[in-house]
Amino acid sequence: MHIHIFTLFPQMFQGPFQHSIVDRAKNAGLVEIHIHDIREYAHDRHHVSDDAQFGGGSGMVMKPEPIFEGVESVLADLTQLEMARTRVILTSPQGRLLNQNLVKELSQQLHLVLICGHYGGVDERIKQHLITDEISIGDYVLSGGEPAAIVVTDAVVRLLPGAVGSVASVQGDSITSGLLQHPIYTRPARFRQWEIPEILLSGNHLEIERWRRQRSLERTFRCRPEMLGKVRLTSEELLYLKTLGYKGNP
Ligand code: SAH
């Protein structure tokens, strides 16, 4: 996969992709991340990439020309087949909310182009004529799209086959599995006065699995009850949830 990030602040990406799973995925050849400085596509002497808003109002607006030119130069190198698996994404608080389903969809592409807005945002013609998707990472406003591009990249890359050690560990993640994950512990078994649940030392894998599933159901019921309506539950699991007060989804 190729991820192209268009930004006014390329230095903001120096740390996040040089560590951990994203770095390993790069080294294993699973992903190439290209950081493009939008200013390099602004051809006036001062590389101006933003301007005042037509009609008045505060907040500079990012100009269309450099962003169109930069993104189109990336797209120009793609074959038609590659284009069919390419998404041009504007990070924006107005976009479709990022969730694990969308992350999965993005992880199946060959090329992702991520445009980072800044200041008041980008010229509307970028939305109308350049992008395929507008994505928000949550209902709050960032000062720029860079943290959003980092979030999207991280979540997508860890789904690329081979990026994370075991597929099972990805599938068992909170949200991905449809539920929140059960509690997890590591050594020491006793830390200060707090001991881990005895069942985890029992060696009885069936019972451990049952315990984990119940904790997972319980946690989901307490913190994110709306998720229970979307997951397939056995009758035993439903019975268990009812003992906690779950009344089923309307
Ligand atoms: N005035 C704009 C917000 C600009 S915030 C509006 O009301 O829509 C500046 C930039 O930060 C945006 O262009 C976008 O790229 C990024 N950004 C802000 N909040 C975001 C969010 N929740 N998700 C993704 N990107 C966001």
Side-chain angles (χ1 to χ4, degrees):
M1 168 180 273
H2 291 260
I3 300 181
H4 294 269
I5 299 177
F6 284 85
T7 174
L8 291 176
F9 301 96
Q11 296 87 338
M12 284 181 75
F13 296 92
Q14 296 236 310
F17 302 145
Q18 263 100 53
H19 304 279
S20 183
I21 289 171
V22 175
D23 189 52
R24 265 194 299 167
K26 284 193 317 191
N27 294 333
L30 303 176
V31 64
E32 279 184 33
I33 301 177
H34 314 268
I35 310 292
H36 303 266
D37 186 345
I38 292 170
R39 284 193 182 86
E40 282 179 15
Y41 300 94
H43 300 298
D44 61 294
R45 207 151 56 91
H46 299 290
H47 300 286
V48 173
S49 51
D50 60 323
D51 207 336
Q53 191 177 156
F54 273 121
S58 63
M60 298 297 272
V61 179
M62 287 174 68
K63 289 163 69 60
E65 310 95 303
I67 295 182
F68 267 84
E69 185 183 316
V71 172
E72 283 170 348
S73 75
V74 167
L75 301 181
D77 291 335
L78 307 185
T79 64
Q80 243 179 351
L81 271 177
E82 286 176 310
M83 275 303 282
R85 287 177 67 195
T86 295
R87 297 289 185 86
V88 180
I89 299 162
L90 176 66
T91 55
S92 156
Q94 302 178 22
R96 176 175 167 196
L97 274 180
L98 186 69
N99 63 19
Q100 194 63 23
N101 282 339
L102 179 51
V103 169
K104 194 167 167 200
E105 200 180 304
L106 297 178
S107 74
Q108 286 155 359
Q109 309 301 314
L110 293 176
H111 295 266
L112 297 181
V113 178
L114 292 161
I115 302 168
C116 304
H118 229 94
Y119 314 120
V122 303
D123 186 284
E124 185 68 15
R125 287 161 291 189
I126 290 166
K127 285 195 202 183
Q128 291 173 329
H129 306 294
L130 185 63
I131 63 169
T132 59
D133 298 79
E134 187 175 356
I135 294 179
S136 165
I137 62 162
D139 282 338
Y140 39 79
V141 181
L142 301 166
S143 48
E146 288 75 11
I150 293 166
V151 166
V152 171
T153 301
D154 186 285
V156 165
V157 168
R158 73 192 295 285
L159 287 193
L160 298 178
V164 173
S166 98
V167 176
S169 81
V170 172
Q171 282 168 352
D173 281 334
S174 294
I175 316 292
T176 310
S177 69
L179 297 173
L180 303 184
Q181 194 187 35
H182 53 77
I184 53 176
Y185 298 89
T186 187
R187 271 178 282 273
R190 184 187 167 90
F191 167 63
R192 301 201 173 153
Q193 74 274 33
W194 304 303
E195 286 177 13
I196 67 166
E198 232 178 272
I199 177 92
L200 298 177
L201 297 169
S202 70
N204 184 335
H205 294 294
L206 257 168
E207 280 304 306
I208 291 174
E209 264 327 295
R210 215 171 101 93
W211 180 88
R212 284 182 169 161
R213 184 78 180 168
Q214 288 194 346
R215 294 295 75 71
S216 180
L217 289 165
E218 184 182 0
R219 197 163 263 205
T220 311
F221 173 61
R222 305 247 183 261
C223 306
R224 298 288 304 275
E226 82 285 358
M227 287 173 66
L228 291 172
K230 297 180 199 138
V231 65
R232 196 173 299 199
L233 300 168
T234 65
S235 45
E236 188 194 353
E237 287 169 345
L238 258 176
L239 266 175
Y240 170 69
L241 277 169
K242 285 194 174 141
T243 67
L244 303 177
Y246 179 61
K247 305 220 164 38
N249 283 65

